[in-house]
Amino acid sequence: MTALRLVVFDVDGTLVDSQGDILASMAMAFEAVGATPPSRKEVLGIVGLSLDVAMPRLAPDLDRDTHYAMVDAYKASYMTLRAKSGAAQSSPMYPGARDVLETLSSRDGILLGIATGKSRRGLDKLLEGHGLEKMFVTEQVADFHPSKPHPSMLQAALSETGIAQEDAVMIGDTSYDMDMAKAAGMRGIGVAWGYHKPEALSAANRIIDRFDVLPHALDDIWKD
């Protein structure tokens, strides 16, 4: 009998490239409170964190109420941009992502999950836009968990699926993803095409630079 295994994906920077809307919405959030927007590098450096954690990191000199206002402005801007072009266009999937998801989901004993800093509403819109509503058996979002790299999202995914830590792997593009996996006792595969440089993914068990090699990387990691 094939053992059940779980592959959990980050979203932004891993499955989809949403940096255009992220950068524009962050600029809008800062402008809404009369602050100077951070650089592209600074913004992409916090992708993956929940917004309530990201804003204080980007604007440590502003007070809590201002951070809350920035979060609201960011969400409003992001929703507006997504509505104009549609989720599939504003957050296109990376080359090979859909094919690999379909390949993995067709394998006996493989379950797919998500652990993202997105809200429930944001993830739902994204999955609907790409026609992926039934692809994932567990979906962990920022509304119900501490921000990455806290292991809460992955602990919940393991609990929901009943899969052991050693039979689960986290796939992500940021240090927060890999640190979260390590904290949850899971292995992690970092992807080189996202928002953190590969050298920042020090907690990853391995790093891949193309989506199509992921199934083989998973086979290898479960042999170890």
Side-chain angles (χ1 to χ4, degrees):
M1 181 176 178
T2 303
L4 279 178
R5 287 169 170 162
L6 175 65
V7 183
V8 182
F9 290 89
D10 168 57
V11 176
D12 295 312
T14 301
L15 289 176
V16 302
D17 185 5
S18 47
Q19 64 176 291
D21 285 356
I22 290 172
L23 293 168
S25 296
M26 193 61 74
M28 183 66 71
F30 273 74
E31 290 166 3
V33 299
T36 302
S39 68
R40 176 181 181 276
K41 180 180 179 181
E42 290 171 320
V43 173
L44 294 183
I46 56 83
V47 174
L49 297 176
S50 300
L51 286 172
D52 61 337
V53 173
M55 292 306 184
R57 290 201 183 187
L58 290 173
D61 296 333
L62 300 180
D63 60 39
R64 181 178 297 181
D65 287 343
T66 304
H67 291 148
Y68 288 152
M70 294 166 72
V71 169
D72 288 342
Y74 178 97
K75 289 180 176 179
S77 174
Y78 201 95
M79 286 190 293
T80 298
L81 291 171
R82 183 180 60 208
K84 285 182 178 179
S85 57
Q89 184 172 341
S90 64
S91 297
M93 297 186 77
Y94 283 103
R98 182 180 296 276
D99 288 343
V100 168
L101 289 175
E102 291 175 352
T103 295
L104 292 175
S105 66
S106 69
R107 285 189 178 186
D108 289 339
I110 297 288
L111 302 178
L112 303 184
I114 279 177
T116 178
K118 284 184 174 298
S119 67
R120 177 75 265 174
R121 178 173 59 181
L123 179 61
D124 286 346
K125 289 292 186 181
L126 180 76
L127 295 180
E128 179 184 355
H130 285 287
L132 297 174
E133 299 98 319
K134 298 180 180 180
M135 183 69 70
F136 305 97
V137 301
T138 179
E139 298 169 0
Q140 307 303 324
V141 295
D143 308 59
F144 311 114
H145 297 282
S147 178
K148 299 175 184 181
H150 192 285
S152 176
M153 289 188 189
L154 294 182
Q155 290 167 341
L158 293 172
S159 178
E160 286 184 4
T161 57
I163 292 178
Q165 298 161 314
E166 61 269 21
D167 292 323
V169 176
M170 176 70 199
I171 315 298
D173 69 304
T174 71
S175 59
Y176 314 125
D177 297 315
M178 297 301 101
D179 291 343
M180 177 176 64
K182 186 174 182 179
M186 287 170 51
R187 285 171 287 190
I189 296 178
V191 304
W193 55 78
Y195 302 151
H196 282 194
K197 293 183 178 180
E199 53 264 33
L201 310 181
S202 58
N205 293 89
R206 63 189 63 202
I207 297 174
I208 60 174
D209 58 9
R210 299 196 326 271
F211 235 119
D212 63 339
V213 304
L214 179 57
H216 181 69
L218 287 167
D219 290 338
D220 281 349
I221 212 169
W222 276 314
K223 290 176 184 176
D224 294 343

